[in-house]
Amino acid sequence: MTVALPRNAKHPFWLCAGLGRALVWGIAVMAGCLGGANASISYEVLGSFQKPGTQVVAPLLSHSDGNFYGVASASGIYDLGTVFKITPAGVLTTLYSFSGIDGSGPASKLTEGTDHALYGTTPSGGTNGFGIAFKVTTTGIFTKLVDFTGTSGSARGSVPDALVLHADTNFYGVTQAGGTGGFGTVFKMTSAGVVTTLLDFTGNTGLRPGSQPQGPLAVSDSLLYGVTKLGGAVGLGCIFELSTSGTWRSLGEFTGTSGVRPGSNPAGGLLFDAGVLYGTTELGGTNSFGVAFKTTAVTTPVYTVLRNFADLTGTQPSGTLVKGTDGLLYGATVNGGVNGLGTVYKITTAGAHTLLASFTGETGVAPGSAMRGGLVLGSANFYYGVTGSGGPGNLGVAFKISSTGTFTSLAPLSPAAGWLPSGAPVASGTGTLLFPIAAGGASGCGNLMSVATNGAISVAAAFDTTLGTAPDGGLKSAGPVFYGVSSKGGASARGTMFRYTPGIGMALVSTHSTSAGSLAEGPLALGADGLYYGIGREGGASLKGTIFKVTTTGTRTRLVSFTGTAGAATGAKPRGPLVLAADGNFYGLTEEGGAANTGVIFQLSAAGAYVVIDAFAATGPRSPQGGFVVGNDGLLYATTSAGGAADFGTLIRFTPATGIWEVIGEFSGASGLSPGALPGGEMMVASDGSIYGTAVLGGAADEGVVFRYATGKGLQALVQFSGLVGATPGSAGAADAAGLVFTGGLSFGTDGLLYGVAPSGGPDGGGVVYRITIPPPMSEWKSLYLGSPNAPDLDDFDRDGSTNLMEYALLTQPQIPDPAALPAPAITQFPDGVRLAIAVPRDPARTDINLIVEVSETLLPLSWSALASSIAGGVFSGPGYYSGDTASPGAKLAIIRDTQALSASSRRFIRIRATH
């Protein structure tokens, strides 16, 4: 054998072998670079889900730009309320989410300023906690104008209500509390936020009786008109007049169910029209369900009850009446009506009442309930409003209604895409990944979403109250069909098992119950018997949780009812998923139960026998918040939410054959060797045997991490979530309104990249779907052996004739000259003749490498043909593959042979080409 070193740098070396005079065989080992390696992990947000505001109690603002603007008192990114926009076509967008220091819980109508910005207040939050006044542009740019200061200070008052813009360019408003006596104030505010207090109320008696003034004020030239909810001689509220210079006059006090001014506790402002004030009270009147009234504003006011509200036509009117183009007054009630959920009505100035609509709850012809804000007149004589609840998900709905009662639902406060991603993505079989969303969607019950490798996200199917609500955990595939569980909903409102078939849709498989087990957490596990096995975190005979199995036709059997700290099935609050090990048994974990009530490791045999393998102690690793995953080595891996040196949680490995478990990684909190805390939820195993998962907390921003465990490398944080903004937006855990904690999960796409969902965080607060590009193994290899992840592929560090790329591909050492370790060609006797062959080493973990074995009768560039290929670390395939290769972890030695006998040619060359 002779060796000839090449002149062409793309041919690192040639090995030529000669036999006799006519036949020459050889090997060419060739490396080509298709792109430089990236040494850093890339995190990319593919989609951000909007966490909407909820509990709307204020009317909309009809803006000069043709859109409607409003505020929600709760939820949003920080759970402290939002400012939102609704187009006439019904497109709802969150403009701003309050966070506390900038205000919280907005509950009053916005006002358009001369600059067309939106001016409003929040009843709480701000620097002093007494509420604020703010402005926000129609594009969402926020400015805090005033921090109210309570019973004293430069802006005394607290719980400010709606502002009204006066012709003098100042804003006027009330605070429902604060002021010198704590009964509320009337104030003036410039557009720059300079506050002047015009009036301090004095309660049931005093110079200016009244307490808890309600906004907005009504304006007539230099006079302001308003009501107080309480105060006055009998404490049922007052009507007052105040000049812009501060001169106060009483127009009367409410007297309850009878008396000279029936009515009590107004819950909205007044409407001024042609010298008459119109309003409503939420209580009082003949039926104690509230009244509509009018009063003149002359020296001796005349008070008239227009209507005593009654149950079947609406009770507890709320909000400010609005005058229509037809001269009638339009309003809404919180309760009553045909369904007891509130109404929309119109009334003449003489008191003739017409019921326009009765709200129908979450569905029906007039979806919505608890209408507190009142109406606003929009274009084409339609009246617009938002309900506080009802509609999809019972979150409220924006609507319009005509003067004749034609009701149109415009926009539910439940976004169509939903929010709160709640399970790991799974491959759909068509190149996309499927994952559940626990909240929102067309029915407000959550969605099944699809994400493609090009980043496109769409709704694959929507849940409803029958199919289940709040799906929890990834899906389990069975060929073209997928199975999953919901934690709530279904006939018993205790959750369901559902089936999804691409192209067909969703179907109910079974309904959970308290006795059989509820609050299921996926994914399900497929047994050897073809049945699906799962856990319920609650329910069962002792309400400690269950293990169940379900047939694909929906027959559900409770296998285990957990018994807590002792008993026949020690353990409580099992966590998903169960896993089927190679020994034919299922294994799982509980978060509670066992002697220390910190959880157990258990086994469930194929026959249904339950055995506790071990119970976690009161200290050390304990309280797992997720199930096992089966590693490529056949061992089981899981996390505990607590334990380890810093008590931030651990990664454990369990050997079923011996029943022994050990800690193989410890989380270190905000920093340290393995940032992360409170690990839990689903984990996954990559083809190279690495374990991937998430920790709910920890990392620099304490928003959780994505971690990886690999033999020889230990436990490391790949991504540290940064919450709403930053380089890695998202939060690894989130709770819904019922306190259920969701943790999302991870999966590899068909492009080899890592996809995941974070249940919260991101720029819209409702979670994100993301993609992680992990540096290929070659970058790490270069860092380890060559000192830099960017060492050139075609360099030859040890000057042995083999480039860095080829050394990496063929598992040789780049620091030590070792040409003898390279694959050598051989003439081998196969059953059908003597052929040229070569043994090619490869490591399946090196997924950034393609290996191609080629043959030729010449050395011309275009004369080579492929015998076999290993693409992205995959198993060799092609006509020349003979033996030695598998997909299991660890180095392989694949035998590749020529397809042509040596006797068929006078010259034959074989080479290995590596690319990445």
Side-chain angles (χ1 to χ4, degrees):
M1 179 177 290
T2 60
V3 177
L5 296 180
R7 295 180 181 178
N8 187 332
K10 286 191 176 182
H11 296 168
F13 55 87
W14 294 86
L15 299 180
C16 301
L19 178 65
R21 294 190 304 173
L23 300 178
V24 178
W25 302 271
I27 176 173
V29 185
M30 179 178 178
C33 180
L34 301 184
N38 180 6
S40 61
I41 290 174
S42 170
Y43 179 88
E44 176 186 7
V45 172
L46 300 178
S48 176
F49 298 99
Q50 182 184 132
K51 185 178 181 182
T54 59
Q55 296 181 24
V56 177
V57 296
L60 294 171
L61 162 69
S62 181
H63 195 276
S64 60
D65 66 4
N67 296 308
F68 297 90
Y69 296 85
V71 294
S73 299
S75 200
I77 293 175
Y78 304 99
D79 290 318
L80 294 175
T82 68
V83 177
F84 60 84
K85 175 177 77 173
I86 301 175
T87 68
V91 178
L92 187 147
T93 305
T94 298
L95 293 180
Y96 190 77
S97 285
F98 292 92
S99 61
I101 191 66
D102 56 355
S104 66
S108 54
K109 182 182 178 180
L110 298 167
T111 299
E112 183 176 358
T114 56
D115 57 359
H116 304 298
L118 312 172
Y119 289 77
T121 64
T122 70
S124 57
T127 302
N128 307 306
F130 297 124
I132 66 153
F134 66 87
K135 79 171 181 178
V136 61
T137 68
T138 55
T139 58
I141 299 173
F142 178 90
T143 303
K144 183 167 69 171
L145 299 174
V146 177
D147 274 296
F148 286 93
T149 54
T151 56
S152 61
S154 60
R156 67 181 181 270
S158 63
V159 195
D161 208 326
L163 302 171
V164 62
L165 179 63
H166 194 276
D168 65 7
T169 72
N170 292 309
F171 294 92
Y172 291 83
V174 300
T175 67
Q176 296 180 21
T180 54
F183 299 113
T185 70
V186 180
F187 64 89
K188 175 176 69 175
M189 182 188 80
T190 69
S191 59
V194 177
V195 170
T196 302
T197 301
L198 301 177
L199 169 68
D200 292 272
F201 286 98
T202 57
N204 289 10
T205 59
L207 294 177
R208 299 177 181 86
S211 176
Q212 291 189 30
Q214 304 292 292
L217 296 166
V219 177
S220 175
D221 297 325
S222 63
L223 297 177
L224 310 172
Y225 295 93
V227 293
T228 67
K229 188 171 186 177
L230 302 175
V234 292
L236 299 178
C238 306
I239 307 170
F240 66 89
E241 174 191 271
L242 182 72
S243 73
T244 55
S245 60
T247 301
W248 176 88
R249 180 169 73 105
S250 172
L251 299 183
E253 299 179 1
F254 294 104
T255 55
T257 57
S258 59
V260 294
R261 294 181 190 86
S264 64
N265 309 117
L270 296 172
L271 167 68
F272 182 89
D273 182 52
V276 178
L277 297 165
Y278 297 89
T280 62
T281 67
E282 195 167 17
L283 300 173
T286 302
N287 304 311
S288 295
F289 289 143
V291 304
F293 67 87
K294 68 180 180 181
T295 184
T296 60
V298 296
T299 302
T300 304
V302 176
Y303 180 93
T304 304
V305 172
L306 298 177
R307 177 169 181 78
N308 287 284
F309 285 91
D311 194 41
L312 291 180
T313 53
T315 59
Q316 291 184 268
S318 184
T320 302
L321 292 168
V322 59
K323 183 180 179 181
T325 55
D326 55 7
L328 303 184
L329 309 176
Y330 290 78
T333 68
V334 178
N335 294 312
V338 176
N339 307 295
L341 300 175
T343 67
V344 178
Y345 64 90
K346 65 182 178 181
I347 188 170
T348 70
T349 56
H353 174 276
T354 302
L355 177 64
L356 295 178
S358 287
F359 290 107
T360 55
E362 295 189 45
T363 58
V365 296
S369 60
M371 175 72 178
R372 282 199 168 272
L375 302 169
V376 62
L377 177 61
S379 60
N381 292 325
F382 277 97
Y383 300 85
Y384 291 76
V386 184
T387 67
S389 55
N394 206 30
L395 298 181
V397 61
F399 66 91
K400 67 179 181 180
I401 190 168
S402 72
S403 60
T404 58
T406 301
F407 187 100
T408 304
S409 178
L410 291 177
L413 268 65
S414 173
W419 75 98
L420 196 63
S422 55
V426 297
S428 68
T430 59
T432 62
L433 296 166
L434 300 170
F435 63 93
I437 290 273
S443 299
C445 301
N447 283 331
L448 185 62
M449 306 296 290
S450 172
V451 57
T453 53
N454 66 3
I457 301 170
S458 59
V459 177
F463 290 90
D464 58 34
T465 53
T466 300
L467 291 170
T469 66
D472 190 358
L475 304 185
K476 186 71 174 181
S477 64
V481 182
F482 298 83
Y483 293 89
V485 294
S486 71
S487 56
K488 294 182 285 186
S492 302
R494 307 301 293 169
T496 66
M497 175 179 169
F498 60 86
R499 176 177 65 244
Y500 172 71
T501 307
I504 296 177
M506 205 93 73
L508 178 68
V509 176
S510 69
T511 298
H512 300 162
S513 65
T514 300
S515 61
S518 58
L519 212 62
E521 180 178 58
L524 296 164
L526 180 60
D529 54 6
L531 304 185
Y532 287 86
Y533 290 74
I535 59 95
R537 283 171 282 178
E538 294 181 357
S542 302
L543 302 180
K544 303 291 186 182
T546 69
I547 302 174
F548 59 85
K549 66 179 179 181
V550 188
T551 68
T552 55
T553 58
T555 301
R556 190 167 186 262
T557 304
R558 188 181 77 190
L559 300 174
V560 175
S561 185
F562 289 96
T563 54
T565 56
T570 303
K573 200 174 182 180
R575 303 304 300 260
L578 296 171
V579 296
L580 183 62
D583 62 6
N585 296 310
F586 286 102
Y587 292 87
L589 299 151
T590 69
E591 184 177 355
E592 299 173 0
N597 202 29
T598 55
V600 303
I601 300 172
F602 64 82
Q603 176 196 81
L604 181 71
S605 73
Y610 176 86
V611 177
V612 172
I613 303 295
D614 199 3
F616 295 104
T619 59
R622 63 196 185 278
S623 304
Q625 294 187 5
F628 280 118
V629 66
V630 182
N632 288 351
D633 53 9
L635 305 182
L636 308 185
Y637 295 79
T639 59
T640 66
S641 66
D647 209 32
F648 289 124
T650 70
L651 179 68
I652 64 172
R653 179 168 56 203
F654 171 67
T655 304
T658 63
I660 296 173
W661 62 275
E662 59 183 327
V663 173
I664 58 173
E666 297 183 358
F667 292 91
S668 55
S671 57
L673 294 176
S674 304
L678 201 69
E682 304 171 52
M683 296 196 298
M684 60 156 291
V685 181
S687 60
D688 65 358
S690 298
I691 309 293
Y692 290 83
T694 57
V696 170
L697 300 176
D702 202 28
E703 297 285 356
V705 305
V706 175
F707 66 83
R708 175 177 66 182
Y709 173 81
T711 302
K713 299 177 183 177
L715 184 63
Q716 58 185 151
L718 297 180
V719 171
Q720 300 184 45
F721 290 110
S722 56
L724 299 176
V725 295
T728 55
S731 300
D736 71 353
L740 298 180
V741 177
F742 300 94
T743 53
L746 303 151
S747 178
F748 280 99
T750 55
D751 55 5
L753 303 181
L754 189 61
Y755 289 78
V757 295
S760 67
D764 298 301
V768 299
V769 55
Y770 58 84
R771 179 166 56 202
I772 299 174
T773 303
I774 300 172
M778 188 173 181
S779 296
E780 298 182 8
W781 179 87
K782 285 180 178 179
S783 295
L784 179 64
Y785 290 103
L786 302 176
S788 170
N790 299 313
D793 286 355
L794 301 184
D795 193 13
D796 181 5
F797 185 84
D798 56 9
R799 301 293 182 257
D800 63 356
S802 178
T803 65
N804 294 334
L805 175 57
M806 191 54 66
E807 300 259 22
Y808 173 73
L810 298 179
L811 315 184
T812 55
Q813 294 290 329
Q815 299 170 310
I816 304 170
D818 51 357
L822 291 167
I827 302 169
T828 304
Q829 179 70 51
F830 290 99
D832 55 351
V834 176
R835 303 186 190 189
L836 194 63
I838 192 167
V840 184
R842 78 168 191 92
D843 186 347
R846 299 186 177 182
T847 56
D848 52 346
I849 286 295
N850 301 325
L851 288 169
I852 305 99
V853 179
E854 300 172 317
V855 289
S856 175
E857 293 184 357
T858 74
L859 297 179
L860 296 176
L862 300 179
S863 65
W864 297 90
S865 59
L867 289 175
S869 302
S870 167
I871 305 300
V875 175
F876 266 105
S877 63
Y881 171 69
Y882 182 70
S883 65
D885 203 0
T886 69
S888 61
K892 306 292 183 295
L893 193 64
I895 307 299
I896 312 298
R897 64 178 181 177
D898 196 356
T899 55
Q900 178 179 299
L902 292 178
S903 59
S905 177
S906 60
R907 294 167 59 89
R908 198 71 170 167
F909 297 89
I910 188 168
R911 74 179 184 183
I912 303 170
R913 185 162 56 90
T915 65
H916 85 102

